[in-house]
Amino acid sequence: MATGLHYSLRALGGTMGAQWERERRETLFLMLPVALSVLPHLMHLPWWIGAGFVVLFAWRLSLVLSGRWLPRVSVRWAAAIACTAAVYAHYQTLLGREPGVALLVLFLGLKLMEMRARRDLFVVIFLCFFLLLAAFFHSQSIATALTVTAALYGLLAAMLTMQFRQHEPSIGQRLRSVGLMLAQALPIAVAVFLLFPRYGGPLWGMSADAQRARTGLSDTMTPGNIAQLSESDAIAFRVLFDRAIPPTALLYWRGPVFGSFDGLAWRAHEARAAPGRATPLEFDTRGEEVRYTVTQEPTGRNWLFALEMPVSAESDSARPILRADLQLVSPTPIVERLRTTIVSGTGFRAGANEDKASLRAWLALPAGFNPRTAAMAARWRTEEGTAPLADQRLVERALAMFREQPFRYTLEPPLLGRDGVDDFLFGSRAGFCEHYASAFAVLMRALGIPARIVTGYQGGERNPVDGYWLVRQADAHAWAEVWLADRGWVRVDPTAAVAPQRIERGLRLGDGASGHEVAARSLAQRLWFNLDAIGNAWNQWVLSYDRSRQQSLLARLGIAAGDWQQLAALLAGVLAALVGAVALLTLRPQLPRDPVVQAYASFCFRLAAVGLGRARHETASRHLARIARALDDARLAEARRIVAAYERLRYADTSPDRAAVRHLHKSVQAFKP
């Protein structure tokens, strides 16, 4: 095995005599690009598929290193049938994206087991090209793009290696040649990317992504589900403010609104029961308007997130709608990254003149739940009466209860029973934001005050590298809204009464962290910010380049939207110019660069610099004989060794030894006439 490994590694270098050694060299050179081609798929496929490919890959590698025979045809057929049956048993079909990729990965491993002729190597390379294309079905991140680029580089280098026979350049020269080819193709690829017509969203927007499980807010709210998000650093959306940024305590990103409560969970009102008339909005001209762009990650739902309260919202890929409950939504589920430009007004009144019929839906409570809360609400209402400001005093009284009594904010509250609000208000008094929002809303409804739950995100963190605000799943939050006469819907956040630091600083490393923890987090955070800025730039400029952004670019070039004839002419002209430029640089006649001739030319240049140049008709020996008297004995002896080595390598050896060529170059560099 050791001997086989030694000769196999030598095979990567170049000079091979027998046909068997050339095939071993080409197979070895191809193995690394094959592994890189499969790598992006391993984390998205079932573990047994990755394990099966690794076994086949290791088996083939051991065979090429040891020189043993490949398995019989019957063994390969049995393995192919077993792989097909296993994929069918797992997916219940052989059609579709996931089963197709799984079969392709396994069949690539099986194809490695029958690579003999050069045709088989090319089949493997083309299978790898298909896998690289399919890698973008799983992820379009910059990490995937870099992995695909590395695999493509290796595959092209393997194809270049197959073109050589007895004598070939070094690995470094081959890699440089591939890099030159990719550099020549890059401008053409950029031109096609920018100008090729786009008929929908970004190239890799896959509707099937909407079916994937994602971390984020739910369409229901029960105590505990937002607490689970507090440990997730996944990005929910990014925000770029045009001008001034509101304080963190005012960064309430409004999302799903819940008004239906069954005693255990909150849900959005059903369409037939929900208030159908839009809530009237009044914006104060003295209030500040904030303009910003939200880049939202795919969720598979139609929720959009905006600062309270959105004045206008525009998106190239969707038409945002402000619902009657003041939730901003998209007409269709968000299955690809979405950019929305929003203007929000900080001074507003919402629904100040709503009638009793529209408010009735926000007062309903299930019968037979939380009797102690209902009794306390009845007592409070009796004490406060029904004066015009009684509702406002009751809201303040509830907040004072949370603030003054021993309620505490915790991510690990105890379990609650059937009457969860009673257990929370009169028992545990410990919970997360949804516990406080739910208990407050139930108490308000028991008091006869319309109330509802709003979920979304609160706060965020600014990336100092690119200026974007990062809103993570850990920033998920729930608060309440109550309707007060002459004021309309008013945001009330009972969590702020118990844990104001949650609203001011968000869920970040607290003051109790040690100095080492803070320093380590600071270093890791700076690195993460830089990586996130790179990934965000990739998302903004590459993945988000859709039809609308292409049309915007074409408009700046003077091409009207939808004028495909002008676009086709522009694309054809740009490609012709680029191909012509590459042809001028690469197709001009070039003499082969013999390293032996180059070394002797450098030797002659050094002599010419002191007036001992060689005439065009002189041979190397005749030239040396003519200038011998101008050199001292030591330099003459060194010059004779250089000329002798040059003549031997140039004329005597049909395949010069690389070590001798390197020695000639070193001798010339050391020669000083």
Side-chain angles (χ1 to χ4, degrees), residues 271-288:
R272 62 179 180 273
R277 185 165 55 88
T279 300
L281 279 170
E282 302 174 11
F283 288 95
D284 190 345
T285 56
R286 294 172 296 177
E288 181 184 2

Side-chain angles (χ1 to χ4, degrees), residues 611-635:
L612 302 177
R614 181 175 71 92
R616 294 176 61 88
H617 65 278
E618 284 184 313
T619 64
S621 299
R622 186 60 180 268
H623 174 225
L624 181 58
R626 180 172 60 81
I627 65 172
R629 295 181 180 179
L631 301 174
D632 58 31
D633 293 342
R635 290 183 175 84

Side-chain angles (χ1 to χ4, degrees), residues 620-664:
S621 299
R622 186 60 180 268
H623 174 225
L624 181 58
R626 180 172 60 81
I627 65 172
R629 295 181 180 179
L631 301 174
D632 58 31
D633 293 342
R635 290 183 175 84
L636 180 59
E638 182 62 24
R640 285 173 175 168
R641 284 193 291 270
I642 291 175
V643 170
Y646 163 70
E647 291 178 337
R648 183 181 71 255
L649 295 172
R650 182 72 173 87
Y651 303 109
D653 296 340
T654 57
S655 181
D657 182 66
R658 292 183 178 179
V661 174
R662 288 195 297 268
H663 180 72
L664 175 61

Side-chain angles (χ1 to χ4, degrees), residues 121-267:
L121 271 68
F122 278 107
V123 170
V124 168
I125 290 176
F126 293 143
L127 285 176
C128 290
F129 284 150
F130 276 109
L131 276 178
L132 294 180
L133 183 67
F136 292 107
F137 293 158
H138 303 301
S139 171
Q140 300 88 48
S141 67
I142 193 170
T144 301
L146 292 176
T147 304
V148 169
T149 301
L152 178 63
Y153 204 103
L155 291 172
L156 293 177
M159 294 179 68
L160 185 63
T161 298
M162 297 177 193
Q163 310 308 314
F164 299 106
R165 286 293 186 265
Q166 298 296 325
H167 180 67
E168 63 187 35
S170 64
I171 295 178
Q173 290 175 319
R174 279 176 268 170
L175 296 179
R176 284 193 294 271
S177 298
V178 173
L180 180 60
M181 288 189 291
L182 291 177
Q184 294 167 355
L186 183 61
I188 300 176
V190 171
V192 173
F193 174 80
L194 293 175
L195 301 178
F196 192 82
R198 294 173 181 265
Y199 296 98
L203 179 61
W204 298 106
M206 302 294 294
S207 59
D209 291 343
Q211 307 302 322
R212 293 184 176 272
R214 298 183 184 276
T215 301
L217 296 176
S218 173
D219 53 4
T220 63
M221 193 204 77
T222 56
N225 59 356
I226 293 182
Q228 296 171 358
L229 296 180
S230 64
E231 299 179 355
S232 172
D233 281 334
I235 300 296
F237 52 90
R238 292 175 171 86
V239 183
L240 183 63
F241 289 93
D242 282 7
R243 292 184 297 275
I245 302 173
T248 303
L250 298 181
L251 295 180
Y252 280 84
W253 306 96
R254 189 182 185 93
V257 178
F258 302 134
S260 176
F261 183 58
D262 62 4
L264 299 176
W266 289 86
R267 293 178 175 82

Side-chain angles (χ1 to χ4, degrees), residues 125-452:
I125 290 176
F126 293 143
L127 285 176
C128 290
F129 284 150
F130 276 109
L131 276 178
L132 294 180
L133 183 67
F136 292 107
F137 293 158
H138 303 301
S139 171
Q140 300 88 48
S141 67
I142 193 170
T144 301
L146 292 176
T147 304
V148 169
T149 301
L152 178 63
Y153 204 103
L155 291 172
L156 293 177
M159 294 179 68
L160 185 63
T161 298
M162 297 177 193
Q163 310 308 314
F164 299 106
R165 286 293 186 265
Q166 298 296 325
H167 180 67
E168 63 187 35
S170 64
I171 295 178
Q173 290 175 319
R174 279 176 268 170
L175 296 179
R176 284 193 294 271
S177 298
V178 173
L180 180 60
M181 288 189 291
L182 291 177
Q184 294 167 355
L186 183 61
I188 300 176
V190 171
V192 173
F193 174 80
L194 293 175
L195 301 178
F196 192 82
R198 294 173 181 265
Y199 296 98
L203 179 61
W204 298 106
M206 302 294 294
S207 59
D209 291 343
Q211 307 302 322
R212 293 184 176 272
R214 298 183 184 276
T215 301
L217 296 176
S218 173
D219 53 4
T220 63
M221 193 204 77
T222 56
N225 59 356
I226 293 182
Q228 296 171 358
L229 296 180
S230 64
E231 299 179 355
S232 172
D233 281 334
I235 300 296
F237 52 90
R238 292 175 171 86
V239 183
L240 183 63
F241 289 93
D242 282 7
R243 292 184 297 275
I245 302 173
T248 303
L250 298 181
L251 295 180
Y252 280 84
W253 306 96
R254 189 182 185 93
V257 178
F258 302 134
S260 176
F261 183 58
D262 62 4
L264 299 176
W266 289 86
R267 293 178 175 82
H269 278 300
E270 296 182 2
R272 62 179 180 273
R277 185 165 55 88
T279 300
L281 279 170
E282 302 174 11
F283 288 95
D284 190 345
T285 56
R286 294 172 296 177
E288 181 184 2
E289 285 195 351
V290 182
R291 183 181 177 87
Y292 52 95
T293 300
V294 177
T295 303
Q296 187 171 326
E297 297 297 313
T299 60
R301 304 182 185 273
N302 65 339
W303 306 328
L304 300 176
F305 297 95
L307 285 178
E308 296 179 327
M309 190 63 66
V311 179
S312 63
E314 298 178 355
S315 175
D316 295 330
S317 304
R319 182 172 296 177
I321 301 171
L322 189 64
R323 296 193 340 181
D325 56 8
L326 304 179
Q327 180 185 354
L328 194 66
V329 297
S330 168
T332 57
I334 301 172
V335 297
E336 58 192 29
R337 194 170 286 103
L338 180 65
R339 289 162 50 97
T340 309
T341 301
I342 306 174
V343 177
S344 293
T346 58
F348 67 92
R349 286 200 313 169
N353 299 319
E354 289 200 32
D355 53 29
K356 292 183 179 180
S358 63
L359 294 174
R360 191 175 298 116
W362 309 110
L363 285 167
L365 284 174
F369 285 87
N370 305 302
R372 298 181 65 183
T373 301
M376 183 179 69
R379 185 175 70 253
W380 283 14
R381 174 56 74 180
T382 301
E383 294 172 355
E384 296 293 342
T386 57
L389 297 179
D391 288 355
Q392 176 65 42
R393 290 196 299 269
L394 288 169
V395 170
E396 295 174 353
R397 184 170 179 175
L399 293 177
M401 177 187 67
F402 287 127
R403 188 165 47 248
E404 297 170 1
Q405 295 188 20
F407 285 89
R408 63 189 179 91
Y409 182 86
T410 176
L411 301 181
E412 298 179 355
L415 296 177
L416 303 177
R418 176 182 180 274
D419 298 318
V421 175
D422 280 357
D423 293 344
F424 173 71
L425 291 178
F426 304 101
S428 66
R429 295 185 174 182
F432 197 56
C433 61
E434 65 264 42
H435 295 85
Y436 289 96
S438 176
F440 181 84
V442 170
L443 178 58
M444 290 297 105
R445 290 189 175 190
L447 289 166
I449 302 174
R452 60 194 182 192

